[in-house]
């Protein structure tokens, strides 16, 4: 049976004092829980947060990374740099990177290969716009993003990748897919992995829900058979809200 995975994406929020306090509070709240927990602060607070969570059952994540090795790439942050300061996993393909920063599947695939080469695990984000859902192509859009994002990724490498389904229309809007709607897409994602790799790979991969999961809807969403956790945005910025989701995941 797959264990649950709850990841907090802090996005471009917090100051250093707040980030440290949040990390310290979360360490205390989840120390006796038994799921997998990750938090991804802004780049500038990664090291400070790491000092608070090292040795705990929370792992450090990054919100993005460069597709290249160290070198003359002004403003970029490499996977090797992230690994060097304690980062264990990186979120790639988030809808805000796709639609605000115009990242395409080819670039996301390149980043995934680079992350794995640097020894980082990956959370690959996929999901549809509201216009896609209206015309009934949600599963097709997700399949394309999976196929292109995982191009030339082996089944052995896949073991270090989780997938986060995030309907773009539900991110930061307060809207969320119903548990049944989310489960339907998660099941289809698992079927795609089975076709691309194997039934074993499909059974083992963790698929998270990333569309405005919070402390009030998490329990019902996490009860669905193909929802293995959550990629949490706004609710990850409060100790009580995020730890409540973590507790649901540990049951």
């Amino acid at each position: 049976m797959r264990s649950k995975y709850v990841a907090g994406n802090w996005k471009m929020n917090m100051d250093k004092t707040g980030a440290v306090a949040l990390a310290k509070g979360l360490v205390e709240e989840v120390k006796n829980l038994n799921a997998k927990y990750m938090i991804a602060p802004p780049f500038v607070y990664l090291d400070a947060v790491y000092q608070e969570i090292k040795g705990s059952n929370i792992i450090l994540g990054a919100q993005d990374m460069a597709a290249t090795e160290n070198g003359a790439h002004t403003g970029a942050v490499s996977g090797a740099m992230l690994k060097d300061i304690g980062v264990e996993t990186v979120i790639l393909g988030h809808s805000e990177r796709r639609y605000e920063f115009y990242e395409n599947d080819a670039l996301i695939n390149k980043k995934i290969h680079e992350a794995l080469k640097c020894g980082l695990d990956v959370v690959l984000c996929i999901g549809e716009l509201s216009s896609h859902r209206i015309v009934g192509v949600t599963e097709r859009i997700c399949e394309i993003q999976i196929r292109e994002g995982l191009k030339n990724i082996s089944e052995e490498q896949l073991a270090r990748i989780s997938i986060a389904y995030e309907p773009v229309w539900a991110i930061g809007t307060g809207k969320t897919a119903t548990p049944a709607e989310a489960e339907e897409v998660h099941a289809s994602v698992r079927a795609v992995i089975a076709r691309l790799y194997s039934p074993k790979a499909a059974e083992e991969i963790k698929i998270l829900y990333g569309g405005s999961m919070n402390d009030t809807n998490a329990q019902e969403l996490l009860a669905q058979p193909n929802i293995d956790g959550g990629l949490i945005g706004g609710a990850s910025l409060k100790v009580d809200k995020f730890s409540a989701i973590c507790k649901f995941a540990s049951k």
Side-chain angles (χ1 to χ4, degrees):
M1 182 177 178
R2 295 179 301 275
S3 60
K4 300 295 188 186
Y5 182 6
V6 181
N9 178 11
W10 294 3
K11 305 189 180 183
M12 198 170 70
N13 291 296
M14 312 295 286
D15 57 17
K16 184 178 179 180
T17 300
V20 168
L22 177 54
K24 186 178 295 186
L26 290 174
V27 167
E28 185 63 27
E29 287 294 322
V30 309
K31 64 183 180 182
N32 295 317
L33 303 181
N34 58 11
K36 181 178 180 179
Y37 308 110
M38 180 268 276
I39 53 176
F43 283 134
V44 293
Y45 306 138
L46 282 169
D47 190 54
V49 168
Y50 178 65
Q51 300 311 312
E52 297 299 326
I53 68 172
K54 63 182 178 180
S56 75
N57 61 341
I58 301 175
I59 63 175
L60 186 65
Q63 299 175 23
D64 188 38
M65 60 168 275
T68 57
E69 298 178 347
N70 291 349
H73 309 290
T74 300
V77 178
S78 71
M81 291 174 176
L82 296 176
K83 185 75 173 176
D84 186 48
I85 60 168
V87 172
E88 295 185 38
T89 191
V90 61
I91 301 167
L92 296 174
H94 192 282
S95 62
E96 289 154 5
R97 300 299 309 180
R98 291 178 188 268
Y99 296 109
E100 288 186 33
F101 297 94
Y102 307 105
E103 294 191 2
N104 60 27
D105 289 318
L107 176 60
I108 293 162
N109 175 251
K110 188 175 180 182
K111 288 185 177 186
I112 291 173
H113 280 277
E114 182 65 20
L116 295 174
K117 186 178 76 173
C118 292
L120 297 169
D121 292 342
V122 171
V123 176
L124 168 62
C125 299
I126 61 168
E128 84 283 12
L129 297 169
S130 58
S131 58
H132 297 142
R133 177 164 283 272
I134 289 169
V135 297
V137 295
T138 291
E139 293 181 10
R140 178 60 180 154
I141 293 297
C142 290
E143 179 169 356
I144 291 170
Q145 292 173 346
I146 293 167
R147 286 181 178 275
E148 295 302 312
L150 298 180
K151 186 172 287 186
N152 297 320
I153 295 295
S154 69
E155 186 162 335
E156 182 180 5
Q157 290 174 310
L158 186 69
R160 293 169 51 198
I161 297 173
S162 301
I163 294 175
Y165 165 59
E166 43 162 22
V168 181
W169 49 271
I171 298 172
T173 63
K175 299 177 182 178
T176 188
T178 67
E181 289 171 335
E183 168 62 18
E184 182 178 19
V185 179
H186 279 240
S188 74
V189 169
R190 205 172 299 283
V192 170
I193 295 298
R195 292 195 296 272
L196 290 177
Y197 293 95
S198 70
K200 181 178 183 290
E203 178 58 30
E204 292 178 351
I205 195 168
K206 286 181 171 61
I207 308 173
L208 317 183
Y209 178 70
S212 292
M213 184 185 283
N214 56 50
D215 55 322
T216 62
N217 62 25
Q219 188 169 19
E220 191 174 5
L221 285 163
L222 292 171
Q224 304 304 309
N226 286 292
I227 298 180
D228 302 317
L231 178 59
I232 316 301
S236 71
L237 301 175
K238 299 289 185 182
V239 171
D240 58 343
K241 293 181 181 296
F242 189 65
S243 62
I245 299 169
C246 293
K247 289 169 185 175
F248 290 137
S250 72
K251 294 179 179 179

